[in-house]
Amino acid sequence: MAGVSYYAAAAAGTGRPSVVQFGAAPNRSRWVSRTRLRRRNAGGRFGLDSNSELQVEEVDVKPSSGSMVEIELVATNTGSNLALHWGALQPGRSEWVVPPAGIRLPEGTIRTPDDAALRTPFKNSGSNSTLKIEIDNQGLESIEFVIVDEAQNKWFKNNGQNFQVHMRPPAGHHHQGQQHSATAGSIGRKNRDVMQLLSKNASTNDQVNKAAEATPSKCTVLDLFIKSLQEKHGSQVLCKKVFKLGEKEILALMSQVQGSTKVHLATDHVEPLILHWALAQKPGEWKAPPPGIVPAGSTLLEIACESPFSDAELNGLHYQVLEIELDDDSYKGMPFVLRSNQTWIKNSTSDFYLDFSRRTAKSSEVTLPFSFSPILAKNLLQKSSQNPMLIFFPCIKGTSDDSKGTAKALLERIADLEEDAQRSLMHRFNIAADLVDQAKDAGQLGLAGLLVWMKFMATRQLIWNKNYNVKPREISQAQDRFTDNLQSLYKMYPQHREMLRMIMYTVGRGGQGDVGQRIRDEILVIQRNNNCMGGMMEEWHQKLHNNTSPDDVVICQALMDYMNSDLDIKVYWDTLNKNGITKERLLSYDHPIHSEPNLKSEQKEGLLHDLTNYMRSLKAVHSGADLESAIGTCTGYTSESQGFMVGVEVNPVKGLPSGFPELLKFVLDHIEDKSVESLVEGLLEARAALRPLLLSSTERLKDLIFLDIALDSTVRTAIERSFENLNNASSEKIMYFISLVVENLALSTDDNENLLCCLKGWNHALEMSKHSDDQWALYAKAFLDRTRLALATKGEEYHDILQPSAEYLGSLLGIEQWTVNIFTEEIIRSGSAASLSLLLNRLDPVLRNVANLGSWQIISPVDVAGYVVVVDQLLTVQHKSYDKPTILVVEGVKGEEEIPDGVVAVLTPDMPDVLSHVSVRARNSKVLFATCFDPKILSELEQNEGKVLSLKPASVDISYREIPESELLVSSSIDTVDGQKAPSLSLAKKQFLGKYAISAEEFSDEMVGAKSRNIAYLNGKVPSWVSVPTSVALPFGTFETVLSDKINKEVSQKVKILTEKLDQGELGALSEIRNVLLNLTAPTYLVSELKEKMQSSGMPWPGDEGEQRWEQAWTAIKKVLASKWNERAYLSTRKVKLDHSNLSMAVLVQQIVSADYAFVIHTTNPSSGERSEIYAEVVKGLGETLVGAYPGRAMSFVCSKNNLESPKVLGYPSKPIGLFIQKSIIFRSDSNGEDLEGYAGAGLYDSVPMDKEEQVVLDYTTDPLVTDCSFRTSTLSSIARAGYDIEQLYGGSPQDIEGVVKDGKIYIVQTRPQIGGEELEVDELLDLQQLRRHILDHLRVYLVVVGVVVEVRRDGCVVGDTTHAAAAPLDCSPNIPILSSPAAARLGSHPAAALGGEAGCESSSRDAVH
């Protein structure tokens, strides 16, 4: 019923004829309030009086009629003279209006004498009266009406109010934060700030891992016993089994040491025990052991032996132990019972039994445990030749990493107890309840282990019942005990609530007393009442009597579907099979179901009624997400359940919010609506109202948790049901549904701040669309990207926490590998995230089309050809070398990776910043780099793996075609010379010139890198409205001098040893070197010199705030120096054959500007090469989120240099995190490879603030840069103008500039030559081709520039050492290019740019000669 909702309201105006006096006229007063109509059930039924009702049978928007709304009314059990007295309301007006002329009115409609209302007669149909109205809702908000029986002068109203049918505006207009009127067909959302739903309780992955390491699970004395056997005696554990003895345990274990096989029994039972035992060569056998193997003090009996336990102690813990050495390996097992005084102790009602068949086989024939599947058995048998222990004792692995990232001890404990758990669900839930404390001690990983185990159970990967009769009451009591324990954790550990909800979802509520017993009793009532005592119904009764399970919910549903289909047996099997129940599974029950239902039509009505009610009993025990039973538990069951659930506690939960029961009734009334919008609104309003109770220690908290789980699950199923109706929906409608699902996901997430910010963004996008803001699609696209990123982050979090446990426990329990492989994926699919992802996929192409974004973002445009290779992450192949031109199609690109050798293109759905490290590398290396937004295109490219493609980028698209290898070989040979290798890059090692600290006035190329020199050059030259932070530096050679100081002798020796390892290829030495360097001690003369330079420059000295502050600063400095040995930088030097030992590191020291925004400017558009256009990216907070590998996109814009007042936004920000810091100092790396041609060390080394940045989840709906057009234009224009002015200071040479905005003022923190910043004209290209041919004809060409010796390689790169010319002017920029060729001279570039390399020559001279 799209587009319409139902209201009851006081009349805005009636237009009733004044000459007619009716006894109960409509209210003519102004509209006062709107009250909810009581809707009895789905379909729009409203009570008129005790015998009649009004039903809205059909309300819909006709797709073929634009905004035409059709309303069909049915009044039941009424007189034959009914009429509809009605009018319409317009937005913002409270008086009735008559629909305008031209609207087709129902037959018989007349206008009232005062022309203020319409009167339309109903048509009679038996005892009912019907009326259909079609009306164009354009310009109309709603229609209001009353019903009049003209024969009796009787008016029908709704509790004194007029009826109202609201012709709802587009769905997106009713979003979170607006006040909705309460209606019978639409729920009134409270006008709450969405941040009231904030939860920040989640543990990060790092915290989870640290907690797992710092809080190991408590070792019991039995754990210590096993450890002592393995460590002290060298025993190999062949098999083991732990049994429960009430609150205590007994361990039975078989071990082998030096050819001797022994059975060990150990227990923490306090009272003295006697072991009554035997040996068995076949199942069920009791055979007395040979006299020669019985322990001392034993008594041999006819078919058994009795042996006393001995007292022992480990680490102060008392236990009892008994050891039996076997003389024969033909025994299959050892049955036993225990005796304490005169009390016999058994394993529930059975004997204890240690199964020897799990020990290592000595022959090549291996017997697998019976519970292994044939597929898994085959796989394990194949693996057993390398590691036979893998089969029989899975926790003994060939590698110690199998349990990494898990609560290993807990999972192995679960595996030990699984055999007992398979006896019945009662056993399983009781065992789970006993393990809750151990799981709690292991933190989130422990709870992950419980979830994995319960999920394996719920998906029928584990046996539910094995030859054990248990009453349904006992199952529900065990569930109740388990979920009570989970409820306690929910109260105590808010950071684990999300995981605990997921466990409870898999388990079901359970319940004490009669809840479970009703399952057993009520089936007898059903059979007796409906005369179905035999056949399938009796077999099902026996199964229910013996051991009920969640399968019974499916069986009951299948029976109901069978009867609703006029006894079509195919429907019965379809329902079963669709839910995973096959004939084989029915036959596998202890009391199998052999028969099909064979019922009679006369039984149908009674059985359907009884089974519908019986389903409540089943779901109350077995379902964690059944809405009706969850609501009934919290609010009390209705009278309809009389005869069923009798004697069950149905008292409502105390303290429910006002109107909450009515809200839940609204939800149930609308549960089957075709149009789900109102239903989902009601569900979310219920969840939001419930939330405060879930965050407190409310009485019967568990019942409220299960209610919330059920509401959550119903939202998901409702949204999935709506997909077909959304096929032709407007973008606003889809955005509104996205906002609903984001809200639902946020309500189920422990740390939901990012999701709530996404929700606010979607609501704002809807408002922008509503007001026809021309930026709405671009803005919505940013939040679509951010929402996708949130989903991806959540998926990674689930995978990191759950998948290792699934894999390890799966291996222990013999779960089939395909089930384990998709475990995390199925967890995600069972929640709202999957529905949200589908909605985002529907909206994405719409937004790209409206915003003219195309299917691609071209980051580095280059025509290329190569072989297609598909990889998952660029990080995993960044240091690989491909031996032929390669096009990488990559799923994940973070932003800090290197481009592998041999790669000519990187195509990815990921969205690194255009100015990220990998983007810059791609442009510098002339590699095509692009983001693909269309999954279909990306899939097509992936299907071309191994083929040779030619790619040609355009502005927002890439065309490609398959080409023969011969064409590729020809194109690849153009730029190569056979048999010749390019020489390595060389770098002169800088010397220490006697100063440990220098001021900006002393910066030179012998003392510091280009980063520091450029900052010094800008100081005093930039416009007055642009500032440059005060700077000092630790110059080149300082680090080496400090390392050689006698106070650091030990550190120096360790570094020397580790460097030798590194030279031998041991890359693990890199992290060791970094750690060792953190032990450096600062010489006193370094401290004093740095203090003097900082204070004389007006910078604060950290030591003035205490010695601890200086130590923080010194640690930051050491981290910068140590970053010379980070993996990415070291491998980059190897890649270009640069001598790593010649790389010198200076440290630039600057006071941090507490930025509102940070930006990076490229004064030539890097994507298009357009020299007249500035490109920039802006982030909120510090710039590390822009230049580092922080997920999401920055705000991006371009600005013409001819019109700096009119920046054009290309994309709004999607980065979820901003970094902020108060008053502090930052220490920036500044190496002599900062802008080395062919290496470009910028970004490879670390810059470290003295204080840790604060991570803040960003809310762009309150950011004026995003929401205030005037502020945005002013700020972006200032950034662009700063870039333009700085470029002019460098003679028009393109610049890569970093800076921040604070209180509207621009600060520039560094500038460098822009990589790939030149766009050449045709005549310049011809000139360069001649120059290039000349270079390729000679192996080595040397250019002698004033004070500069430069080598030009065959590939056109310029390498060599540079020195400043002695006669260089003092105010000359270190970035002003030198003259190299006519083309370069015209372009203002130097040889590197002319030959296709990056700019960045460090000479300060403008003069050059060949």
Side-chain angles (χ1 to χ4, degrees):
M1 293 177 284
V4 178
S5 57
Y6 316 104
Y7 286 79
T14 68
R16 178 178 60 84
S18 58
V19 296
V20 181
Q21 300 297 319
F22 291 111
N27 186 350
R28 195 178 175 84
S29 65
R30 292 181 61 83
W31 180 31
V32 179
S33 64
R34 292 178 173 177
T35 58
R36 183 178 303 128
L37 288 167
R38 183 173 64 87
R39 183 172 177 178
R40 292 183 177 175
N41 48 47
R45 294 193 179 102
F46 316 124
L48 295 178
D49 60 21
S50 58
N51 297 317
S52 61
E53 63 182 15
L54 173 68
Q55 181 176 356
V56 180
E57 290 285 357
E58 191 76 27
V59 179
D60 209 348
V61 176
K62 290 188 172 183
S64 61
S65 306
S67 57
M68 186 68 73
V69 177
E70 179 183 285
I71 306 167
E72 185 173 355
L73 307 174
V74 178
T76 62
N77 299 319
T78 57
S80 59
N81 294 292
L82 288 188
L84 191 75
H85 186 86
W86 62 288
L89 288 178
Q90 294 176 327
R93 297 187 59 183
S94 57
E95 296 293 326
W96 279 23
V97 296
V98 174
I103 296 297
R104 185 174 61 187
L105 299 176
E107 183 180 354
T109 300
I110 62 171
R111 292 175 181 260
T112 58
D114 58 1
D115 205 31
L118 300 174
R119 181 72 61 87
T120 303
F122 280 75
K123 292 182 178 180
N124 298 327
S125 177
S127 62
N128 296 342
S129 301
T130 65
L131 175 60
K132 183 182 292 185
I133 301 174
E134 292 182 355
I135 188 167
D136 189 333
N137 69 0
Q138 289 185 352
L140 299 180
E141 182 179 70
S142 59
I143 65 168
E144 285 192 351
F145 63 88
V146 292
I147 297 173
V148 58
D149 185 334
E150 295 179 319
Q152 301 182 40
N153 277 353
K154 183 176 182 181
W155 290 80
F156 293 101
K157 304 179 68 178
N158 187 71
N159 297 323
Q161 306 289 336
N162 290 355
F163 295 102
Q164 186 183 78
V165 177
H166 188 75
M167 290 173 288
R168 187 181 308 150
H173 298 175
H174 287 261
H175 56 79
Q176 182 67 37
Q178 288 187 319
Q179 178 67 47
H180 292 260
S181 301
T183 75
S186 177
I187 194 63
R189 299 299 308 273
K190 287 188 177 179
N191 189 13
R192 63 170 64 84
D193 180 355
V194 298
M195 299 312 290
Q196 292 177 0
L197 307 179
L198 179 65
S199 173
K200 299 182 72 171
N201 296 316
S203 300
T204 65
N205 287 349
D206 288 342
Q207 290 172 328
V208 169
N209 294 333
K210 288 177 183 176
E213 294 169 5
T215 313
S217 55
K218 299 175 183 177
C219 281
T220 67
V221 68
L222 302 186
D223 296 327
L224 295 173
F225 174 72
I226 296 174
K227 186 177 180 181
S228 69
L229 278 181
Q230 294 173 324
E231 293 181 354
K232 295 180 181 178
H233 306 293
S235 299
Q236 180 185 20
V237 177
L238 302 180
C239 61
K240 66 175 182 177
K241 180 72 176 168
V242 178
F243 302 96
K244 296 293 294 182
L245 301 179
E247 296 298 318
K248 303 298 183 180
E249 296 174 329
I250 183 168
L251 165 71
L253 176 149
M254 173 183 277
S255 72
Q256 192 171 54
V257 58
Q258 298 178 350
S260 176
T261 303
K262 297 181 179 180
V263 174
H264 307 266
L265 295 106
T267 178
D268 54 357
H269 195 274
V270 177
E271 297 176 358
L273 289 176
I274 300 293
L275 181 72
H276 185 90
W277 63 285
L279 294 171
Q281 292 181 322
K282 59 183 179 181
E285 181 180 45
W286 275 73
K287 184 177 181 180
I293 69 168
V294 298
S298 298
T299 302
L300 269 173
L301 304 175
E302 182 179 353
I303 60 169
C305 179
E306 289 195 341
S307 304
F309 282 77
S310 301
D311 289 334
E313 189 175 289
L314 274 172
N315 290 4
L317 299 174
H318 172 265
Y319 69 106
Q320 298 182 62
V321 66
L322 179 61
E323 181 181 294
I324 303 167
E325 184 170 350
L326 302 179
D327 64 341
D328 190 346
D329 64 359
S330 64
Y331 301 116
K332 302 301 181 184
M334 188 179 90
F336 64 93
V337 293
L338 300 167
R339 182 161 54 83
S340 176
N341 297 321
Q342 300 303 312
T343 302
W344 290 94
I345 302 173
K346 303 187 74 176
N347 186 22
S348 294
T349 59
S350 304
D351 300 333
F352 297 101
Y353 187 76
L354 178 61
D355 186 0
F356 295 167
S357 68
R358 290 180 59 87
R359 60 179 170 167
T360 306
K362 293 184 178 180
S363 67
S364 59
E365 293 186 4
V366 183
T367 302
L368 292 170
F370 68 90
S371 60
F372 281 21
S373 70
I375 296 175
L376 183 61
K378 179 179 178 182
N379 292 339
L380 290 178
L381 281 171
Q382 290 171 347
K383 295 178 182 178
S384 66
S385 59
Q386 289 83 27
N387 186 3
M389 294 301 296
L390 181 65
I391 297 177
F392 300 103
F393 192 55
C395 63
I396 299 178
K397 301 283 185 178
T399 169
S400 60
D401 289 334
D402 294 325
S403 61
K404 186 177 180 180
T406 73
K408 182 174 183 289
L410 173 68
L411 298 185
E412 292 178 354
R413 180 91 171 129
I414 288 172
D416 288 339
L417 296 170
E418 175 57 28
E419 187 175 339
D420 279 345
Q422 291 181 358
R423 300 172 76 178
S424 74
L425 290 176
M426 177 194 73
H427 290 83
R428 186 175 299 280
F429 292 140
N430 277 325
I431 291 170
D434 293 337
L435 293 175
V436 166
D437 276 345
Q438 186 177 349
K440 174 199 69 178
D441 293 340
Q444 184 135 344
L445 293 179
L447 296 176
L450 274 187
L451 172 60
V452 169
W453 187 35
M454 290 296 103
K455 191 68 176 178
F456 283 156
M457 177 270 297
T459 54
R460 304 184 180 92
Q461 300 300 314
L462 302 173
I463 296 172
W464 287 357
N465 178 256
K466 189 165 62 180
N467 302 320
Y468 196 92
N469 292 335
V470 61
K471 298 175 182 177
R473 176 178 63 233
E474 295 169 330
I475 294 176
S476 64
Q477 288 174 345
Q479 277 178 287
D480 199 48
R481 177 171 171 249
F482 181 32
T483 51
D484 274 346
N485 290 351
L486 296 175
Q487 172 189 253
S488 298
L489 295 187
Y490 189 96
K491 292 179 180 179
M492 297 169 58
Y493 301 98
Q495 70 271 28
H496 297 324
R497 284 173 176 166
E498 187 175 343
M499 189 72 68
L500 290 163
R501 282 169 52 92
M502 294 166 73
I503 299 172
M504 295 171 80
Y505 175 84
T506 65
V507 172
R509 180 182 176 275
Q512 290 282 2
D514 288 340
V515 175
Q517 187 60 29
R518 284 292 152 191
I519 292 176
R520 193 172 185 176
D521 297 342
E522 289 170 6
I523 190 63
L524 291 171
V525 176
I526 291 172
Q527 286 182 282
R528 185 171 57 250
N529 288 349
N530 296 281
N531 191 27
C532 49
M533 300 301 294
M536 178 269 169
M537 291 296 292
E538 178 58 26
E539 292 170 355
W540 186 33
H541 164 223
Q542 293 301 321
K543 187 246 183 241
L544 290 161
H545 183 88
N546 175 58
N547 201 325
T548 184
S549 70
D551 280 4
D552 296 314
V553 176
V554 180
I555 294 171
C556 186
Q557 186 63 55
L559 283 169
M560 293 163 64
D561 292 347
Y562 161 70
M563 286 180 286
N564 277 320
S565 65
D566 290 328
L567 309 181
D568 184 347
I569 196 64
K570 183 177 180 297
V571 172
Y572 169 78
W573 285 110
D574 283 348
T575 299
L576 291 178
N577 294 335
K578 187 169 60 177
N579 290 278
I581 298 180
T582 62
K583 289 183 179 180
E584 290 74 19
R585 183 165 184 83
L586 294 174
L587 294 173
S588 71
Y589 301 140
D590 286 345
H591 286 266
I593 299 177
H594 297 276
S595 307
E596 294 180 335
N598 185 20
L599 301 169
K600 299 177 182 179
S601 56
E602 56 266 26
Q603 295 173 297
K604 174 180 172 181
E605 184 177 353
L607 263 176
L608 269 175
H609 175 272
D610 290 353
L611 287 176
T612 299
N613 287 306
Y614 186 53
M615 182 70 89
R616 293 178 177 175
S617 299
L618 292 171
K619 288 183 175 180
V621 173
H622 294 303
S623 176
D626 177 62
L627 184 60
E628 185 176 3
S629 63
I631 289 176
T633 301
C634 292
T635 63
Y637 289 97
T638 67
S639 60
E640 293 176 272
S641 61
Q642 289 180 359
F644 291 84
M645 305 296 288
V646 175
V648 178
E649 180 184 358
V650 292
N651 295 327
V653 172
K654 295 179 181 178
L656 293 176
S658 176
F660 192 64
E662 292 78 14
L663 180 57
L664 296 178
K665 184 181 184 305
F666 172 90
V667 166
L668 288 178
D669 286 346
H670 289 258
I671 201 70
E672 294 181 1
D673 282 3
K674 289 183 179 180
S675 178
V676 302
E677 190 172 323
S678 298
L679 169 63
V680 174
E681 288 173 349
L683 290 163
L684 291 175
E685 185 62 29
R687 293 198 69 194
L690 193 60
R691 186 173 180 80
L693 297 179
L694 295 173
L695 302 179
S696 61
S697 298
T698 309
E699 182 185 357
R700 291 176 63 185
L701 175 61
K702 180 176 70 174
D703 293 335
L704 297 177
I705 296 171
F706 276 113
L707 174 57
D708 190 56
I709 290 171
L711 292 167
D712 176 15
S713 179
T714 308
V715 170
R716 178 180 58 81
T717 55
I719 292 293
E720 290 173 354
R721 197 167 78 237
S722 73
F723 282 159
E724 185 176 349
N725 293 334
L726 291 175
N727 283 337
N728 299 311
S730 67
S731 55
E732 286 187 8
K733 183 99 167 180
I734 298 174
M735 284 196 290
Y736 183 56
F737 269 78
I738 287 172
S739 73
L740 295 175
V741 184
V742 170
E743 181 180 354
N744 190 59
L745 194 59
L747 287 166
S748 304
T749 303
D750 280 341
D751 187 2
N752 65 6
E753 187 173 11
N754 185 29
L755 286 170
L756 291 178
C757 288
C758 288
L759 175 58
K760 293 183 72 175
W762 285 111
N763 290 340
H764 190 69
L766 280 162
E767 285 297 310
M768 292 174 69
S769 176
K770 174 182 176 182
H771 293 96
S772 301
D773 189 316
D774 61 3
Q775 295 281 296
W776 77 266
L778 201 60
Y779 179 90
K781 180 65 170 70
F783 277 94
L784 185 145
D785 293 340
R786 180 170 178 175
T787 307
R788 271 186 175 156
L789 181 60
L791 292 181
T793 302
K794 195 65 181 175
E796 290 173 5
E797 177 188 323
Y798 279 170
H799 187 276
D800 292 344
I801 293 173
L802 298 177
Q803 195 61 30
S805 294
E807 291 173 1
Y808 189 55
L809 185 60
S811 71
L812 297 179
L813 299 180
I815 303 297
E816 290 187 297
Q817 192 60 46
W818 68 270
T819 302
V820 173
N821 291 343
I822 64 172
F823 183 85
T824 303
E825 180 183 342
E826 289 303 307
I827 288 286
I828 295 171
R829 286 180 183 275
S830 66
S832 295
S835 301
L836 179 56
S837 181
L838 289 172
L839 289 170
L840 295 175
N841 290 342
R842 287 195 180 192
L843 184 62
D844 192 358
V846 176
L847 297 181
R848 284 191 280 109
N849 181 57
V850 175
N852 298 313
L853 294 177
S855 299
W856 293 87
Q857 180 177 24
I858 314 299
I859 297 172
S860 174
V862 184
D863 290 2
V864 299
Y867 293 86
V868 176
V869 174
V870 180
V871 297
D872 183 47
Q873 299 290 324
L874 184 59
L875 186 67
T876 61
V877 297
Q878 64 175 333
H879 299 300
K880 182 176 179 178
S881 291
Y882 292 89
D883 57 4
K884 50 189 177 183
T886 300
I887 297 168
L888 286 184
V889 182
V890 188
E891 179 64 29
V893 177
K894 300 300 182 186
E896 287 195 328
E897 301 92 337
E898 296 294 324
I899 303 292
D901 287 341
V903 168
V904 297
V906 177
L907 310 177
T908 178
D910 226 333
M911 295 176 290
D913 290 309
V914 172
L915 302 184
S916 66
H917 176 82
V918 69
S919 301
V920 172
R921 283 291 195 231
R923 289 191 291 270
N924 188 41
S925 304
K926 300 298 182 285
V927 170
L928 171 60
F929 186 31
T931 292
C932 180
F933 299 116
D934 192 329
K936 292 181 180 178
I937 294 176
L938 205 66
S939 177
E940 290 172 2
L941 286 166
E942 289 173 346
Q943 291 169 15
N944 282 286
E945 185 167 20
K947 297 179 181 178
V948 180
L949 297 184
S950 171
L951 307 179
K952 292 187 178 296
S955 58
V956 291
D957 197 8
I958 293 179
S959 61
Y960 65 90
R961 63 184 177 89
E962 186 176 357
I963 61 173
E965 286 187 284
S966 57
E967 187 176 334
L968 174 65
L969 293 174
V970 170
S971 64
S972 300
S973 65
I974 294 175
D975 297 323
T976 61
V977 178
D978 293 339
Q980 300 293 334
K981 290 186 178 180
S984 303
L985 296 182
S986 61
L987 190 65
K989 188 171 184 178
K990 300 294 184 178
Q991 303 300 315
F992 181 62
L993 298 181
K995 293 185 177 182
Y996 288 93
I998 57 176
S999 62
E1001 293 76 14
E1002 301 170 273
F1003 290 178
S1004 70
D1005 64 346
E1006 290 301 314
M1007 302 282 277
V1008 292
K1011 184 183 296 182
S1012 300
R1013 298 200 311 277
N1014 287 332
I1015 281 296
Y1017 173 75
L1018 288 178
N1019 203 12
K1021 296 182 178 64
V1022 293
S1024 59
W1025 52 274
V1026 176
S1027 295
V1028 177
T1030 303
S1031 304
V1032 301
L1034 303 177
F1036 291 140
T1038 300
F1039 163 68
E1040 290 81 4
T1041 305
V1042 170
L1043 183 62
S1044 64
D1045 193 291
K1046 61 182 180 181
I1047 61 174
N1048 290 311
K1049 182 178 180 180
E1050 184 178 345
V1051 174
S1052 179
Q1053 289 173 342
K1054 290 181 179 178
V1055 170
K1056 182 179 179 181
I1057 293 170
L1058 290 169
T1059 302
E1060 290 173 355
K1061 287 185 178 181
L1062 186 60
D1063 292 341
Q1064 295 169 6
E1066 296 185 32
L1067 295 181
L1070 288 168
S1071 61
E1072 295 183 66
I1073 292 174
R1074 295 198 301 273
N1075 289 330
V1076 167
L1077 289 177
L1078 293 180
N1079 295 318
L1080 281 172
T1081 299
T1084 54
Y1085 32 84
L1086 181 150
V1087 178
S1088 61
E1089 285 190 33
L1090 181 59
K1091 178 180 180 181
E1092 188 275 325
K1093 291 296 181 183
M1094 291 181 68
Q1095 289 181 331
S1096 64
S1097 299
M1099 298 175 66
W1101 170 245
D1104 289 344
E1105 300 176 46
E1107 185 63 24
Q1108 180 185 359
R1109 293 290 287 165
W1110 160 247
E1111 286 301 324
Q1112 280 182 255
W1114 177 237
T1115 298
I1117 292 170
K1118 289 185 288 187
K1119 287 180 178 179
V1120 174
L1121 296 171
S1123 71
K1124 175 181 174 181
W1125 283 271
N1126 74 55
E1127 284 77 4
R1128 187 160 62 93
Y1130 178 77
L1131 292 170
S1132 293
T1133 61
R1134 287 208 325 186
K1135 183 176 178 179
V1136 297
K1137 301 179 182 178
L1138 185 69
D1139 188 344
H1140 186 260
S1141 63
N1142 285 345
L1143 193 134
S1144 301
M1145 186 73 72
V1147 180
L1148 176 62
V1149 184
Q1150 294 178 320
Q1151 191 168 358
I1152 290 179
V1153 179
S1154 181
D1156 299 324
Y1157 304 99
F1159 58 81
V1160 173
I1161 306 169
H1162 276 195
T1163 59
T1164 289
N1165 189 328
S1167 296
S1168 65
E1170 178 58 55
R1171 296 165 63 194
S1172 65
E1173 193 170 65
I1174 289 171
Y1175 176 89
E1177 293 183 342
V1178 187
V1179 294
K1180 194 167 177 62
L1182 299 178
E1184 180 60 25
T1185 59
L1186 181 55
V1187 299
Y1190 282 76
R1193 280 280 179 85
M1195 172 178 278
S1196 58
F1197 72 95
V1198 292
C1199 193
S1200 170
K1201 293 176 183 177
N1202 297 322
N1203 185 8
L1204 295 171
E1205 301 304 318
S1206 301
K1208 178 185 177 183
V1209 175
L1210 300 180
Y1212 284 93
S1214 61
K1215 288 184 180 290
I1217 296 296
L1219 298 178
F1220 295 86
I1221 199 168
Q1222 297 304 315
K1223 182 180 177 182
S1224 188
I1225 303 291
I1226 189 168
F1227 302 90
R1228 299 182 182 273
S1229 60
D1230 191 21
S1231 75
N1232 59 340
E1234 185 78 12
D1235 291 311
L1236 177 65
E1237 181 68 35
Y1239 176 61
L1244 289 177
Y1245 305 99
D1246 295 343
S1247 295
V1248 183
M1250 189 173 79
D1251 298 283
K1252 186 174 178 61
E1253 308 99 327
E1254 179 188 3
Q1255 286 197 0
V1256 175
V1257 177
L1258 298 176
D1259 180 3
Y1260 292 114
T1261 64
T1262 61
D1263 182 359
L1265 191 66
V1266 174
T1267 60
D1268 186 330
C1269 182
S1270 176
F1271 178 87
R1272 179 169 62 248
T1273 300
S1274 172
T1275 302
L1276 301 187
S1277 293
S1278 296
I1279 292 171
R1281 183 170 294 280
Y1284 176 78
D1285 288 348
I1286 290 171
E1287 183 184 60
Q1288 295 307 301
L1289 287 175
Y1290 286 100
S1293 176
Q1295 295 294 298
D1296 174 354
I1297 304 164
E1298 295 181 22
V1300 300
V1301 181
K1302 175 64 177 176
D1303 297 329
K1305 189 173 182 62
I1306 303 293
Y1307 294 79
I1308 301 300
V1309 298
Q1310 72 178 61
T1311 186
R1312 63 169 69 93
Q1314 180 180 333
I1315 295 171
E1318 302 295 340
E1319 179 76 7
L1320 304 181
E1321 301 297 338
V1322 174
D1323 61 330
E1324 295 166 338
L1325 286 170
L1326 293 173
D1327 192 4
L1328 285 173
Q1329 288 172 359
Q1330 293 174 356
L1331 176 61
R1332 184 164 187 169
R1333 280 196 293 270
H1334 174 71
I1335 294 172
L1336 292 176
D1337 288 338
H1338 299 79
L1339 290 178
R1340 303 166 87 79
V1341 176
Y1342 290 89
L1343 298 179
V1344 180
V1345 188
V1346 180
V1348 184
V1349 179
V1350 185
E1351 177 184 340
V1352 183
R1353 297 194 325 220
R1354 287 181 173 276
D1355 60 2
C1357 290
V1358 181
V1359 297
D1361 299 334
T1362 62
T1363 57
H1364 277 284
L1370 291 177
D1371 65 343
C1372 185
S1373 160
N1375 283 343
I1376 291 180
I1378 61 177
L1379 182 64
S1380 67
S1381 71
R1386 288 197 303 276
L1387 293 172
S1389 74
H1390 60 87
L1395 296 172
E1398 60 177 303
C1401 178
E1402 310 223 316
S1403 172
S1404 62
S1405 173
R1406 298 186 183 212
D1407 301 320
V1409 296
H1410 282 286

